[in-house]
Amino acid sequence: MEDRKLTVRAVERALDILMCFTKGSDLGLTEISARIGIHKSTVHRLLATLEDKGFVIRDTSTEKYRLGMKVWELSAHLSQNDDPAILLLPQMEQLRDRLGETVSLYLRDGIDRLRIGAVQSNQAIRRVAVVGARLPLYVGASSKVLVAYADEAVLNAVLEDREWPPTIDRQAYVSQLEEIRKIGYATSYEEREPGAAAVSAPIFDRTGKIAAALSLSGPVSRLSPQTLIEFSPVLIEAAREMGMMIHSS
């Protein structure tokens, strides 16, 4: 039993190491050790195994690590039914072409949101959305959508987050969520980053629970508050159609 516990612990630690790369690439041994709270000698042994199996690559010139090809090989075998970003890509491209801005797809992971898919705007000045980016749930249009339609436990966890910025009023945030549930979409105007605006709508699964958030984002020079409102019916309809595709998958 003790050997089994040690084996499971090693697997958990190896997975913790891989998860470090969700918040950055080219990480050094010391940085990884600090992030997961494990001694460097243990991390070094686990990294050696992950490198041997192809899950990480070590740059000998910098002694830093990045994800290896084995990770991409695994992701390539996700089926369309398993990966909404693949299944919904044509509809995301159609929405981008219709409205001219970057379209993103987000899932909630704990008290973060994860961008699992993005179709970049074709315009010269655009907002580039990086797939795999992990962002907090207390700010941004997609964040508010994902929390507005989640269970109360999720809302409480977000409100109790130690990283909650003191500049954001919690009661005002809760009031925004109530309004989102009434109108069916959320907007953000330079909330998370200067010069960027977004509008987001929920995608519901076959049980009526929120499955993802569909977002349209771009520079404030093109996306005024009024434009976000005007785009919202198009986004809501696109999200509804995407939900129907998920239902039938």
Side-chain angles (χ1 to χ4, degrees):
M1 181 63 72
E2 186 62 28
D3 289 343
R4 183 179 178 184
K5 288 182 178 179
L6 290 173
T7 301
V8 172
R9 188 177 300 117
V11 173
E12 289 177 343
R13 288 174 170 178
L15 292 173
D16 286 341
I17 289 174
L18 292 176
M19 290 302 295
C20 285
F21 293 94
T22 62
K23 298 185 178 180
S25 60
D26 296 315
L27 304 177
L29 175 61
T30 301
E31 186 175 1
I32 295 173
S33 174
R35 287 192 180 190
I36 64 178
I38 298 175
H39 195 275
K40 286 195 292 184
S41 61
T42 302
V43 174
H44 185 268
R45 289 196 298 271
L46 292 169
L47 281 168
T49 300
L50 291 170
E51 183 181 5
D52 182 61
K53 295 295 184 180
F55 286 93
V56 298
I57 297 173
R58 180 171 59 93
D59 187 331
T60 56
S61 64
T62 63
E63 290 301 319
K64 290 192 174 184
Y65 296 84
R66 63 180 184 274
L67 291 177
M69 293 304 297
K70 187 63 68 175
V71 174
W72 308 116
E73 183 180 339
L74 287 174
S75 66
H77 291 284
L78 284 170
S79 71
Q80 288 193 352
N81 290 343
D82 294 328
D83 189 347
I86 297 175
L87 176 67
L88 303 177
L89 180 59
Q91 283 64 40
M92 293 172 65
E93 291 176 337
Q94 290 175 16
L95 185 63
R96 183 271 314 274
D97 294 342
R98 180 175 179 181
L99 299 181
E101 303 294 348
T102 295
V103 176
S104 299
L105 192 65
Y106 293 93
L107 297 181
R108 182 180 63 82
D109 183 19
I111 56 173
D112 293 328
R113 60 174 159 126
L114 182 65
R115 186 184 292 122
I116 64 166
V119 178
Q120 312 298 339
S121 168
N122 291 323
Q123 303 203 52
I125 299 176
R126 60 188 177 186
R127 182 171 181 272
V128 176
V130 179
V131 174
R134 184 176 291 271
L135 303 165
L137 283 176
Y138 46 71
V139 66
S142 295
S143 290
K144 291 182 287 188
V145 162
L146 289 170
V147 179
Y149 295 95
D151 296 335
E152 187 175 354
V154 174
L155 172 60
N156 292 335
V158 173
L159 293 175
E160 295 168 4
D161 183 6
R162 290 178 296 178
E163 300 297 324
W164 184 281
T167 55
I168 300 177
D169 181 81
R170 284 178 171 84
Q171 188 54 53
Y173 175 84
V174 172
S175 297
Q176 287 185 59
L177 300 184
E178 294 174 352
E179 180 64 18
I180 290 165
R181 286 190 289 270
K182 292 179 182 178
I183 63 178
Y185 68 94
T187 62
S188 64
Y189 199 78
E190 296 189 299
E191 281 187 13
R192 194 178 64 81
E193 57 183 282
V199 56
S200 180
I203 298 175
F204 297 105
D205 65 16
R206 60 175 57 86
T207 67
K209 292 183 178 180
I210 186 167
L214 178 66
S215 174
L216 184 91
S217 61
V220 295
S221 58
R222 290 196 301 267
L223 293 181
S224 67
Q226 182 59 38
T227 301
L228 295 177
I229 295 173
E230 293 172 355
F231 280 178
S232 64
V234 179
L235 200 71
I236 290 171
E237 178 60 21
R240 186 191 67 80
E241 293 177 356
M242 290 180 183
M244 292 176 63
M245 292 180 62
I246 293 176
H247 297 171
S248 60
S249 63

